[in-house]
Amino acid sequence: MLSEVLRTLNNATEPFSIPELSRRLDLDRSVLDGMLTHLILMGKLKDEDSDPERSEFTCSASHCGHSDTCSFVAKMPKSYSINRGKG
Amino acid sequence: MNINFEIALAGNPNAGKSSIFNMLTGSHQHVGNWPGKTVERKSGSLKYKDNEIIIVDLPGTYSLTAYSPEEMIARDHLLYDKPEVVVNVMDSANLERNLYLAVQIIELGIPSVMVLNMSDLASAKGIRIDKELIAKELNSFVVTTIAREQKGGEDLLEAVLAQKSKLSQGMKAYEPIKIDYGHEIEVEISELSRLIMNSPAIKKVFPVRWLAIKLLESDVDIQNKLRLLAGGKEIIFSAEGSKIKLEAIFEEDLDVIIADRRYTWIHDLVKRAVFRPKEKFISLSDRIDQLTTHRIFGIPIFLAAMWFVFKLTADVSAPYLDWVDGVIHGPIAGWLYAILYGLGLEGSWFESLILDGVVAGVGGVLVFVPVLMFLYVALAILEDSGYMARAAFVMDRLMHALGLHGKSFLPMLVGFGCTVPALYATRTLENPKDRILTGLLVPFMSCGARLPVYILFAAIFFPHNSGMVVFSMYLLGIVTAIVLGIILKNTLFKSKEQSTFVMELPPYRVPTLRSIWFHTWERTSAFVKKAWTIIMATSILLWFLMAIPVQGIGSFAKTDVSDSAFGVINKAVAPVFAPLGFGSWEASSALFTGFVAKEVVISTMTQVYSVLEEPLEIEQIPTISEGLKEIGVSFWAASIDTVKSLPLIVGINLFEEGVEDDPTSLMSSIRVGFEESSQGHAALAGLAFMVFVLIYTPCMAAVAAERHELGMNWTWVSIFGQLGIAWMMAFAVFQGGKLLGLG
């Protein structure tokens, strides 16, 4: 089950949405959410939102007059990817 | 006889643990912090029958694997403070997920009571749970509650007392279940258990089987604690050996295998004990997603959404664009002229600086504020409705299919707003090759600053299809980036690594007016601020360059622009663009200054052409009240025209046939200029100019960001590469169009 989630993501050739992955593995959505959280805590998956470089993003150019925040950085959907560093 | 004992309340976040705690303890609660932690510790007490029960509310956790401070607190409390009974609160509708913690509690060897909370919600979803089977398989008491409605508290307390009484008969009466981890793992667990049993100091602190499993999972916290005990290091060493052996057998990390076996055990139990309606519930969001993220229909839906956005932007904003133009070049320019006239500066170089420099330059850009507002409103609706997340996902999949990094599209999407943050957003890509490649492709996305150029040129050369032309520019940017990306990915940036990811798609929702306004205002105000800073400074500098005569007979501020320093410099550059159809010095000067900011293309054109306009006459200047009335009346007329132009999006024209807006003097001047430079192929030259603006070197702020993110060498590649590609594409459009007899 958990291994299958990891294997599916490792072997995937394209991105998935969570409902798609849930259908593909025939897993209840809440169970899959739990497994993804578990894999993140284990360090096997990476929560893209918690990427320090991403969260610390600031626009050093300040050319548009908005030096504190960038109004163009729309919040992208939460995504998780395989943490290659953790094999 | 009063018996005092402690129970611990465990459970997943949102399983209703706090409601159970409140139901049981009422007002007898104490709130503090866990020792040495900032995590809140809640405890309370209650009297039930002859018992004084202390309840400790553990932090909500999904497991006991010490990944977070909350899990460490919960686990340490269960391990060292040893409550007599653990009450594990579970969400009945999400039982499978909640059982993971339950299994870990049971493995810890502490007697437990399992609470199936929110049982009413599970029933409403048609979920039926075989309590007896779960109780048997977990060797635990199972009760149902609806804590929100204060139901089931007594059953729960009875179960706690029953478990306690079972325990008081001796531990043999309570035999925790054992998950079967498979032969190979069980052999190693047995071997480690034997070693632990031989270490009295360790056996006294930790449950034996549980410790063996934790060591195989390489639980760092447990390893650290074990090292402090006699014989601990040897056991850790032995566990490491077992781990290496097992990982060689399974070719997978052992912690994943062990967790996987637990999930499989739980899944098997749920299959037998939980009955769901045969037809799976599919939410409305999921149903819509089946279409919007569909492999075949997803892309056309995305294109249709973008077409709608640009149709709305180009067609519907036009009346307000004309209104702002009228206000700036009418009453505002007039009042400024009147002030200068009153100060005796009429005809002076200062008057020319204000009217031909600042008003023409800044005003020429501010005219496009309504266009950007409409664009940002449309984008805010797409973002807030949740569709933009789907668009990112669909495009992501397309890019992946083309061999590009899926995550590349996220920075590209940001690039539709501004290239600078889009370049910084490439940091999300781990592989340096992917990061540089994406950084090189991002500037091909059409940023908001280029939109005024498209709007103006589409209105001049393609007045009946302006929305479609603007949309085509954006599409061309995406296609160019993808094609170039494929070429570079298969040559300079070859890499085998392809990382995929899972994306959470937020549920669709109706956007709120407040949120749409917030997004629109933030982005539009950024544009306006830029107009008053960079664009004004550039306009003033340009005015000086246009005021300095270097040939002819003019004097300072009284010279023909073509004889000015600016005109002469750009005349030297202009022949480069002659094969593209826009080899006039006016067009080349706008491209040259566009390097400062893309909006400056427009302000430069306004300055270059406005100096040819008729001078203002003091008698024609409206009074303040006349001007305000004129502004109000024209705003009302623009609003009516905007409403009438909404059906234009679907091709219905409510305007009177034959009634068309007169082109402004700027539009006419540009058209004439392009007619001349292209020898009668003005539309083709206009289109080639738009393509050049889309592709050529981004603004200087973006170049600075490129240097920061990609390094100087790649920045030079980007600058000259984009210039070269822009020239070739514009050449192909103009010369190809001529060959095909178009325009």
Side-chain angles (χ1 to χ4, degrees), chain B residues 326-534:
Chain B
V327 170
I328 291 173
H329 294 104
I332 291 178
W335 291 332
L336 281 171
Y337 173 75
I339 292 168
L340 294 167
Y341 185 86
L343 293 170
L345 294 168
E346 187 210 5
S348 68
W349 66 268
F350 190 74
E351 183 216 65
S352 173
L353 170 67
I354 298 298
L355 297 180
D356 301 331
V358 177
V359 174
V362 178
V365 170
L366 287 179
V367 161
F368 291 92
V369 165
V371 176
L372 287 164
M373 282 190 90
F374 272 88
L375 174 70
Y376 295 144
V377 164
L379 291 180
I381 291 171
L382 290 182
E383 275 173 39
D384 283 12
S385 66
Y387 177 71
M388 216 44 132
R390 276 78 185 173
F393 178 73
V394 164
M395 287 307 291
D396 215 300
R397 198 158 54 190
L398 172 73
M399 298 198 68
H400 219 92
L402 296 171
L404 297 171
H405 198 294
K407 271 198 275 182
S408 301
F409 195 70
L410 302 184
M412 287 185 181
L413 211 56
V414 176
F416 285 134
C418 178
T419 310
V420 177
L423 282 161
Y424 287 111
T426 58
R427 289 179 191 180
T428 54
L429 295 143
E430 291 153 32
N431 184 331
K433 279 187 173 179
D434 287 328
R435 197 157 54 226
I436 291 170
L437 176 59
T438 308
L440 293 175
L441 302 181
V442 156
F444 291 102
M445 296 297 107
S446 216
C447 67
R450 288 159 173 151
L451 184 60
V453 182
Y454 306 150
I455 294 283
L456 178 67
F457 274 69
I460 296 170
F461 299 109
F462 310 97
H464 302 295
N465 298 300
S466 54
M468 183 54 84
V469 170
V470 173
F471 168 66
S472 307
M473 285 299 116
Y474 278 77
L475 201 57
L476 182 65
I478 299 173
V479 172
T480 308
I482 289 177
V483 171
L484 193 64
I486 293 170
I487 295 169
L488 291 174
K489 185 79 185 175
N490 290 300
T491 50
L492 287 175
F493 295 90
K494 260 190 178 171
S495 80
K496 283 182 184 171
E497 195 181 310
Q498 269 281 43
S499 89
T500 50
F501 58 94
V502 191
M503 199 182 266
E504 213 167 78
L505 300 175
Y508 289 100
R509 59 198 173 114
V510 178
T512 61
L513 281 176
R514 183 189 156 89
S515 169
I516 292 171
W517 171 247
F518 176 77
H519 276 117
T520 306
W521 174 248
E522 278 278 294
R523 291 167 184 177
T524 310
S525 66
F527 180 81
V528 173
K529 277 184 185 171
K530 203 169 160 188
W532 287 114
T533 51
I534 290 177

